[in-house]
Amino acid sequence: MLHAVRFLLVLFVLAGFLITCKRTSDKEIAPETELKILELHLAGIADKNISIDHAKRLITIQMPPMLPSINLKATYKLGRNARLVRGAENGFFDIRMLNKCFDAPRIGLTKADSTSDVPIIEYSVVAVTSGKLTATLKTPIEHEQTDVTTISIPVENLYGSETVVDALVTREGSSEKISLLREPSPVSCGWFTTGNTANQIDILTSRQLQPGRYTLELVQANGTVVLVPQPLLVKKGIPSLRANLWTWGVLPNEPFQVVGYNLFEEDISLTIKGKDKTYQPTLTDFSNTGTEFRVITPDLAPGNYFVKVNKKNGDEVACLKVNVLRHKGQPVLMSISETSLCMNFEAFPLSRGTKVFVNYTPATAGRQPNPVRLDELLQFTRIGAVPGTYNIPINLYQDFNSPAYFILPDSIPAGRYEVKLQVKNPETGKLSLSETYERMVEVR
């Protein structure tokens, strides 16, 4: 009996040992144990400065002041049966993703034998700076005005620092601080990137500044101001125009604005050319940043004119059309089958049965909230011994890939024609006509 009891005790102990071993073995192969980043090595960063907290699934990198590249060679050691599917799978880690403007980047793992690339677990990666963000510029920044420019500033301790959310400039002799961002906001760090060059901040700006010498300051998200040790030297660039609303139409004697870049009074001239005469208008109210000036129009009769902007040396900056209207809201016929809108009053040929693109606006007055769909057509009036008027339907503009067009029917006789745009309001029956197009059409 005693032997039997001893035998049963031995069996119980052995069973408990086997159960314990099985549980230990199960735990060793459990996903939460085997899916680990055991080691991570990044070129240019000492191993001692990379720590891994498995409980928090957090990788902390103590950043050096400078890095050799924005893409650091990454090697790692993973737990058993683990496969890396996100973060450094191509063998490199993009250090720009550590910008605090964005969410912390993640390195994701799944099982090695899994066919899915969806991570089962992820480690977050955060950077800790080893010092204050410092601009290391050695020479002045020469900035030539254009529509959008990039100002690049070399720095130390960029990675892991608070993000830069604004850049302020102060012109020499002034105390006014001007933001290089037109609309600074809490998410302005999206305007500042670490660029394609390591240890460098790129400021994207469309701000136009008065030529001169400026101090430059970077403002971080926590309010810290970093002074750039070299000045910003703003110089005039190449004159150019932006889209101008005045190309659609102005009333007689109504001034209009010309807007663009590098439009300075001492550098710019402007002429207005009609079919029979050229005018030299008065230019005034030039902005000190070169972004606009005002044109005081001479007493122009309703019709179509060309505005030519030149540099003082004669080089052409732009040539656009201005339409002088009889009344506000008059339709404007901008172009027929033309790629150029400059300085041409000669007749041109059109073939019947061919699609011809047309550019126009049915009303220069402001649109109503619920505009009426207008009926629009081209009115061809024959000039010569046998006059006649022909109404040609317009296939309306749909989108940028489907511009408005018309097709001359075979029934329209050959000859020269004056063309107007006719617009009808179907609710009121009211007709509106544009001025005669500046070029005659020769139907062949």
Side-chain angles (χ1 to χ4, degrees):
M1 183 66 179
L2 182 60
H3 289 293
V5 172
R6 287 177 177 174
F7 179 73
L8 289 173
L9 287 173
V10 170
L11 286 178
F12 279 123
V13 171
L14 181 60
F17 176 78
L18 291 174
I19 291 171
T20 302
C21 288
K22 179 170 181 17
R23 286 176 179 167
T24 302
S25 177
D26 285 345
K27 187 176 181 181
E28 287 178 354
I29 64 172
E32 63 269 19
T33 301
E34 64 176 348
L35 295 184
K36 283 185 176 181
I37 300 175
L38 301 177
E39 297 177 11
L40 174 64
H41 309 280
L42 297 173
I45 299 177
D47 288 342
K48 66 179 182 179
N49 291 334
I50 301 176
S51 62
I52 303 174
D53 187 326
H54 297 294
K56 296 180 179 178
R57 290 176 182 163
L58 178 67
I59 299 173
T60 303
I61 305 174
Q62 183 78 36
M63 307 300 292
M66 305 281 283
L67 287 175
S69 171
I70 57 172
N71 287 307
L72 302 183
K73 179 69 177 176
T75 55
Y76 41 82
K77 180 180 178 181
L78 305 180
R80 183 173 57 181
N81 194 32
R83 178 168 64 91
L84 189 142
V85 292
R86 180 179 295 168
E89 62 271 28
N90 60 356
F92 288 88
F93 185 81
D94 188 345
I95 212 70
R96 292 173 298 182
M97 297 307 297
L98 292 173
N99 186 338
K100 290 184 179 179
C101 188
F102 314 116
D103 292 335
R106 295 174 179 272
I107 298 178
L109 304 177
T110 191
K111 291 183 179 180
D113 56 2
S114 172
T115 58
S116 172
D117 286 336
V118 177
I120 294 176
I121 69 164
E122 291 181 314
Y123 284 74
S124 296
V125 184
V126 297
V128 179
T129 183
S130 58
K132 294 181 179 180
L133 179 67
T134 306
T136 59
L137 199 67
K138 303 298 183 186
T139 57
I141 307 168
E142 294 191 357
H143 170 62
E144 192 172 276
Q145 304 260 52
T146 58
D147 54 349
V148 178
T149 33
T150 301
I151 298 174
S152 298
I153 303 171
V155 293
E156 287 184 351
N157 297 309
L158 172 61
Y159 308 100
S161 290
E162 289 292 326
T163 54
V164 173
V165 295
D166 203 356
L168 303 175
V169 293
T170 307
R171 193 168 186 268
E172 191 175 68
S174 171
S175 59
E176 181 187 8
K177 293 183 184 293
I178 302 171
S179 171
L180 288 181
L181 297 185
R182 290 187 178 275
E183 297 178 357
S185 71
V187 293
S188 289
C189 56
W191 287 84
F192 297 86
T193 72
T194 53
N196 294 318
T197 304
N199 316 303
Q200 177 175 293
I201 289 177
D202 291 337
I203 305 169
L204 306 179
T205 178
S206 59
R207 173 71 69 191
Q208 302 297 301
L209 299 170
Q210 185 177 353
R213 183 185 181 97
Y214 293 79
T215 57
L216 174 59
E217 299 170 316
L218 306 177
V219 182
Q220 294 179 272
N222 61 359
T224 300
V225 176
V226 179
L227 179 65
V228 176
Q230 293 289 331
L232 173 67
L233 306 180
V234 177
K235 300 181 177 182
K236 296 178 184 177
I238 299 172
S240 61
L241 299 191
R242 290 189 290 173
N244 289 265
L245 292 178
W246 53 265
T247 58
W248 294 109
V250 297
L251 295 173
N253 297 310
E254 180 183 24
F256 59 84
Q257 295 291 118
V258 178
V259 294
Y261 312 99
N262 300 296
L263 304 176
F264 295 98
E265 184 172 9
E266 62 273 18
D267 301 330
I268 292 296
S269 67
L270 183 145
T271 56
I272 299 177
K273 184 175 176 59
K275 204 164 190 175
D276 304 311
K277 187 177 178 181
T278 298
Y279 304 86
Q280 298 293 334
T282 300
L283 310 184
T284 185
D285 297 337
F286 281 84
S287 71
N288 59 14
T289 58
T291 53
E292 64 180 355
F293 61 89
R294 204 147 82 105
V295 180
I296 307 299
T297 57
D299 189 11
L300 300 175
N304 307 305
Y305 299 83
F306 291 105
V307 177
K308 193 168 185 179
V309 183
N310 287 77
K311 293 190 283 188
K312 285 293 175 66
N313 65 5
D315 291 346
E316 185 177 303
V317 174
C319 185
L320 298 170
K321 184 187 294 186
V322 62
N323 299 272
V324 178
L325 310 175
R326 293 181 186 275
H327 57 83
K328 187 176 182 180
Q330 184 180 10
V332 171
L333 179 54
M334 290 292 295
S335 66
I336 301 173
S337 184
E338 292 180 271
T339 55
S340 173
L341 292 177
C342 188
M343 298 298 188
N344 198 337
F345 295 99
E346 302 299 322
F348 69 103
L350 282 184
S351 299
R352 287 167 285 197
T354 302
K355 182 185 291 188
V356 181
F357 294 118
V358 58
N359 181 20
Y360 67 95
T361 179
T364 49
R367 292 277 188 179
Q368 297 302 315
N370 297 302
V372 175
R373 184 69 171 182
L374 301 173
D375 296 330
E376 300 151 20
L377 55 82
L378 292 177
Q379 190 182 88
F380 278 65
T381 302
R382 193 178 184 193
I383 305 301
V386 186
T389 298
Y390 300 84
N391 292 330
I392 309 300
I394 296 174
N395 290 277
L396 301 181
Y397 168 91
Q398 300 297 323
D399 55 43
F400 287 108
N401 296 317
S402 303
Y405 69 92
F406 65 94
I407 298 175
L408 289 176
D410 293 338
S411 58
I412 187 171
R416 286 197 168 194
Y417 290 80
E418 290 182 339
V419 185
K420 292 183 178 181
L421 171 67
Q422 177 184 294
V423 177
K424 178 181 179 181
N425 186 321
E427 292 188 357
T428 64
K430 180 182 178 180
L431 291 178
S432 297
L433 285 175
S434 72
E435 294 301 309
T436 302
Y437 189 56
E438 70 272 6
R439 300 182 69 183
M440 281 192 183
V441 170
E442 193 170 297
V443 177
R444 295 179 178 178

